[in-house]
């Protein structure tokens, strides 16, 4: 199966999501948050830097839970940044 290349707006949304997750992590260690979400630190790093611009829903949900933020809040922040 060949994946369709992402558009620039899709890549921008991925970078915005990564930035929001990085801000929500604050001073908590990447390894600690990744482990709490059931991910590797490298996967979290790739999401935070936008190298994985479209992480799976369950990955985002696990990160939101590990960071103590609701999916509703995360979605609202992403939409707010996308409009701005």
């Amino acid at each position: 199966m060949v994946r369709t290349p992402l558009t620039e707006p899709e890549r921008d949304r991925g970078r915005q999501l990564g930035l929001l997750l990085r801000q929500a992590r604050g001073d908590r260690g990447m390894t600690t948050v990744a482990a709490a979400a059931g991910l590797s630190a490298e996967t979290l790093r790739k999401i935070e830097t936008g190298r994985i611009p479209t992480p799976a829903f369950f990955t985002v949900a696990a990160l939101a839970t590990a960071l103590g933020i609701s999916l509703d809040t995360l979605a609202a922040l992403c939409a707010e940044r996308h409009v701005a």
Side-chain angles (χ1 to χ4, degrees):
M1 182 173 148
V2 177
R3 184 172 182 173
T4 306
L6 297 174
T7 64
E8 196 55 36
E10 290 169 329
R11 289 184 189 281
D12 286 341
R13 282 195 305 268
R15 286 188 285 269
Q16 290 170 2
L17 173 63
L19 178 62
L20 288 168
L21 292 172
R22 193 167 42 252
Q23 290 172 343
R25 183 165 57 84
D27 62 355
R28 289 177 276 188
M30 185 176 285
T31 305
T32 302
V33 172
L39 307 172
S40 70
E42 182 60 21
T43 297
L44 179 55
R45 180 179 287 103
K46 288 178 180 178
I47 293 168
E48 286 186 352
T49 60
R51 289 179 48 213
I52 299 178
T54 58
F57 171 78
F58 292 105
T59 300
V60 175
L63 283 168
T65 299
L67 294 167
I69 56 176
S70 73
L71 285 173
D72 288 339
T73 299
L74 190 56
L77 288 170
C78 284
E80 186 177 288
R81 293 238 176 147
H82 186 66
V83 171

